[in-house]
Amino acid sequence: MSLYAIGDLHLHYQSVLKAPGQLHDRVWKNHEEKFRRNCGKMVSPEDTLVLVGDHSWGRNLSECELDLQYICDLPGRKILTRGNHDMFWDAKKTASLNERYAGKLEFLQGNYYTYRDHALVGTKGFCFEGPFRIDRRGRVVDWDEDAEKHARKIVARELARLRASFEAAKADGYRKFIMFLHYPPTNILEERSAFTDMAEEYGADQVIYAHCHGESRFHDSIQGEYRGRTYRLVSGDYLRWKPLKIL
């Protein structure tokens, strides 16, 4: 029995694909079939697969039915977290998704799931991608204060949701955690953030995240050992559509 993770499948069986990278980059060509084959080889029915956001381009649940069915048909137990493109998933209606897909998929938001003696906690997260602009030398040349205020509100909301996930698991006696985010835990200007601080506060063993696409973005945030935690990027194109074994 093993625990795997991957993010950013960006399925589009019932929706129009407009992302330039996904249209033209070779790594995305037939990625659905590549991932299906890799899961068939690597993931057993007894394993758990956490899909770390951006599951579908569909704008609502009716446009995502085939995408979610594709995920249902993958081997193993499937746990999903929210991504920034998952428009079908209203965070306040997570319980209804869990009811609708009971026995097939599990949706992680404001709750937690377990794998052996670990609690799997998580939220979408957020990092400041828009408030600043950087030149080719890596210098900040512009800063949008209004965008920063908006970003801080989103971060505060996501931190509250993440804390609720940790606290629910802690109240049930769990002391070992793996933390899942869709966004990276830090932006390219940060060495630490409120999300890394929360991982340290609760003693999370690992922080798993996605969202970073393309060679130029793969190293935007922390990877490897940092302040006693292991940080792992699991974007699908980074992993070449092979789910990463976490435990």
Side-chain angles (χ1 to χ4, degrees), residues 94-132:
T94 300
S96 65
L97 282 173
N98 276 317
E99 182 177 344
R100 178 174 183 145
Y101 286 92
K104 298 179 180 179
L105 303 174
E106 295 171 298
F107 295 84
L108 175 57
Q109 178 68 71
N111 53 0
Y112 74 95
Y113 293 103
T114 61
Y115 176 81
R116 295 182 177 175
D117 58 346
H118 279 81
L120 310 181
V121 302
T123 192
K124 178 177 68 176
F126 194 73
C127 63
F128 293 179
E129 294 183 307
F132 57 84

Side-chain angles (χ1 to χ4, degrees), residues 141-160:
V141 295
D142 190 26
W143 194 276
D144 187 329
E145 293 183 359
D146 289 336
E148 180 187 8
K149 289 179 182 178
H150 178 66
R152 290 191 182 280
K153 289 181 179 179
I154 298 174
V155 167
R157 181 187 67 198
E158 291 299 311
L159 287 169

Side-chain angles (χ1 to χ4, degrees), residues 42-243:
M42 300 171 64
V43 181
S44 75
E46 294 77 30
D47 293 334
T48 296
L49 175 64
V50 182
L51 295 127
V52 193
D54 280 4
H55 314 292
S56 172
W57 283 111
R59 295 169 295 178
N60 51 55
L61 195 54
S62 65
E63 289 187 358
C64 298
E65 289 180 349
L66 292 181
D67 298 338
L68 293 175
Q69 186 59 51
Y70 167 97
I71 296 172
C72 287
D73 293 340
L74 297 172
R77 174 194 182 198
K78 278 80 65 176
I79 299 173
L80 283 66
T81 69
R82 289 175 66 234
N84 57 303
H85 290 296
D86 291 323
M87 305 304 292
F88 72 94
W89 185 347
D90 183 335
K92 297 177 182 179
K93 297 181 180 179
T94 300
S96 65
L97 282 173
N98 276 317
E99 182 177 344
R100 178 174 183 145
Y101 286 92
K104 298 179 180 179
L105 303 174
E106 295 171 298
F107 295 84
L108 175 57
Q109 178 68 71
N111 53 0
Y112 74 95
Y113 293 103
T114 61
Y115 176 81
R116 295 182 177 175
D117 58 346
H118 279 81
L120 310 181
V121 302
T123 192
K124 178 177 68 176
F126 194 73
C127 63
F128 293 179
E129 294 183 307
F132 57 84
R133 188 164 57 85
I134 294 176
D135 66 14
R136 294 181 178 179
R137 297 182 181 179
R139 299 174 301 187
V140 177
V141 295
D142 190 26
W143 194 276
D144 187 329
E145 293 183 359
D146 289 336
E148 180 187 8
K149 289 179 182 178
H150 178 66
R152 290 191 182 280
K153 289 181 179 179
I154 298 174
V155 167
R157 181 187 67 198
E158 291 299 311
L159 287 169
R161 289 171 172 169
L162 181 58
R163 187 174 297 279
S165 188
F166 270 116
E167 288 294 327
K170 187 176 178 181
D172 288 340
Y174 287 92
R175 296 295 181 268
K176 298 175 72 174
F177 305 100
I178 299 177
M179 177 175 138
F180 293 89
L181 301 170
H182 175 67
Y183 280 97
T186 59
N187 66 35
I188 59 177
L189 300 181
E190 297 173 322
E191 292 186 1
R192 57 188 296 183
S193 71
F195 292 104
T196 64
D197 289 347
M198 191 171 291
E200 293 176 25
E201 177 186 347
Y202 285 94
D205 297 334
Q206 300 187 49
V207 177
I208 313 299
Y209 67 95
H211 187 71
C212 301
H213 297 302
E215 296 285 344
S216 64
R217 301 294 305 276
F218 289 157
H219 301 286
D220 280 2
S221 191
I222 307 166
Q223 291 195 51
E225 300 296 320
Y226 178 71
R227 294 174 63 89
R229 258 117 294 275
T230 301
Y231 290 79
R232 302 180 188 272
L233 171 65
V234 296
S235 297
D237 56 331
Y238 175 70
L239 297 178
R240 293 298 190 264
W241 312 113
K242 294 180 179 179

